[in-house]
């Protein structure tokens, strides 16, 4: 039992140590192997007409707002989203350019906000993992002390052993979730770029 507990704790702490070595020292809490790009620039995803005259106006258009929510949802397959863009702009007639600009402005705002929320969440989890690693280390040291004590209090040893197993399990579960969620900002970037391209094509 003692070897098992120490081994589990050592694995968790090793994972924490690897995660804490940020690839970019500017973002010490960023846990992903992908480089952190805090914001997507408009120029990187939009080569259409300027959006200065629309900006937040898309929020005042109920039809555009509803479509933006649908297109920005990750549960909406990209193929379906692209089809919805084409159908919407095909029905826009003389207002196609204006509606296209409103639609992309809404997507840019909404997907950027989603992206920021995900990235902030990842960094919060990193800080929690660092705190958890500290607790695991301290509890491991305490467990070793209790195991070596004379006389030995088996009830305390068992209680702390169970606590350590629980702590390391949570630590490992979070680590797996982080690895999965690290893919989300890139997926959002790709979605924004793909939908922006379709919108621009439909404007031509």
């Amino acid at each position: 039992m003692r070897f098992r507990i120490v081994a589990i704790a050592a694995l968790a702490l090793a994972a924490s140590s690897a995660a804490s070595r940020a690839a970019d020292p500017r973002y010490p809490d960023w846990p992903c192997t992908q480089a952190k790009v805090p914001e997507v620039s408009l120029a990187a995803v939009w080569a259409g007409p300027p959006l200065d005259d629309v900006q937040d106006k898309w929020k005042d258009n109920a039809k555009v707002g509803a479509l933006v929510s649908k297109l920005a949802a990750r549960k909406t397959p990209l193929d379906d989203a692209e089809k919805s863009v084409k159908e919407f702009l095909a029905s826009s007639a003389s207002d196609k350019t204006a509606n296209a600009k409103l639609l992309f402005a809404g997507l840019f705002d909404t997907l950027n906000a989603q992206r920021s929320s995900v990235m902030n969440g990842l960094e919060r989890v990193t800080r929690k993992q660092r705190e958890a690693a500290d607790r695991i280390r301290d509890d491991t040291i305490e467990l070793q002390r209790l195991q070596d004590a004379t006389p030995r209090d088996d009830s305390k040893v068992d209680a702390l052993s169970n606590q350590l197993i629980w702590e390391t399990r949570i630590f490992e579960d979070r680590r797996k979730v982080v690895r999965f969620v690290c893919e989300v900002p890139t997926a959002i970037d790709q979605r924004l770029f793909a939908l922006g391209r379709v919108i621009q094509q439909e404007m031509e």
Side-chain angles (χ1 to χ4, degrees):
M1 171 65 79
R2 175 176 179 176
F3 175 78
R4 182 186 175 201
I5 296 297
V6 172
I8 291 173
L11 286 172
L13 291 171
S16 172
S17 177
S20 68
R21 292 194 294 270
D24 189 334
R26 293 176 299 172
Y27 310 114
D29 293 333
W30 181 244
C32 307
T33 56
Q34 301 90 330
K36 180 181 179 181
V37 180
E39 294 181 359
V40 176
S41 69
L42 182 61
V45 291
W46 180 252
L51 303 179
D52 297 345
D53 58 330
V54 294
Q55 294 185 351
D56 290 339
K57 291 181 180 178
W58 66 271
K59 297 176 182 178
D60 300 325
N61 187 313
K63 191 171 184 180
V64 169
L67 184 56
V68 165
S69 295
K70 175 184 176 182
L71 300 179
R74 292 193 293 279
K75 67 181 181 181
T76 303
L78 187 56
D79 287 346
D80 291 348
E82 292 177 348
K83 182 180 178 182
S84 295
V85 167
K86 294 175 182 178
E87 291 174 348
F88 171 68
L89 294 180
S91 67
S92 296
S94 60
D95 295 331
K96 180 182 284 188
T97 297
N99 283 332
K101 290 168 64 176
L102 285 171
L103 182 58
F104 187 76
L107 282 170
F108 185 76
D109 288 352
T110 302
L111 288 174
N112 247 336
Q114 282 185 14
R115 189 175 179 279
S116 294
S117 177
V118 169
M119 294 173 80
N120 289 338
L122 282 166
E123 292 185 323
R124 281 197 300 273
V125 171
T126 298
R127 291 189 287 271
K128 286 183 179 179
Q129 286 291 79
R130 198 174 289 131
E131 293 170 359
D134 289 342
R135 283 196 300 274
I136 291 170
R137 183 186 60 246
D138 292 344
D139 286 347
T140 301
I141 293 170
E142 176 63 11
L143 178 60
Q144 291 173 329
R145 188 190 69 78
L146 290 173
Q147 289 172 327
D148 293 338
T150 304
R152 170 170 159 156
D153 188 332
D154 285 335
S155 63
K156 288 185 178 180
V157 169
D158 289 345
L160 190 52
S161 296
N162 290 332
Q163 181 177 315
L164 252 175
I165 290 173
W166 181 248
E167 288 172 344
T168 51
R169 184 177 299 163
I170 292 173
F171 185 96
E172 182 62 16
D173 286 346
R174 279 183 185 155
R175 190 179 66 83
K176 292 176 181 177
V177 168
V178 164
R179 188 168 54 194
F180 171 77
V181 177
C182 277
E183 302 294 333
V184 174
T186 299
I188 292 174
D189 292 348
Q190 293 170 344
R191 189 178 194 85
L192 181 57
F193 179 81
L195 293 177
R197 181 177 56 193
V198 171
I199 293 171
Q200 290 171 87
Q201 289 172 345
E202 294 301 306
M203 291 172 64
E204 297 175 354

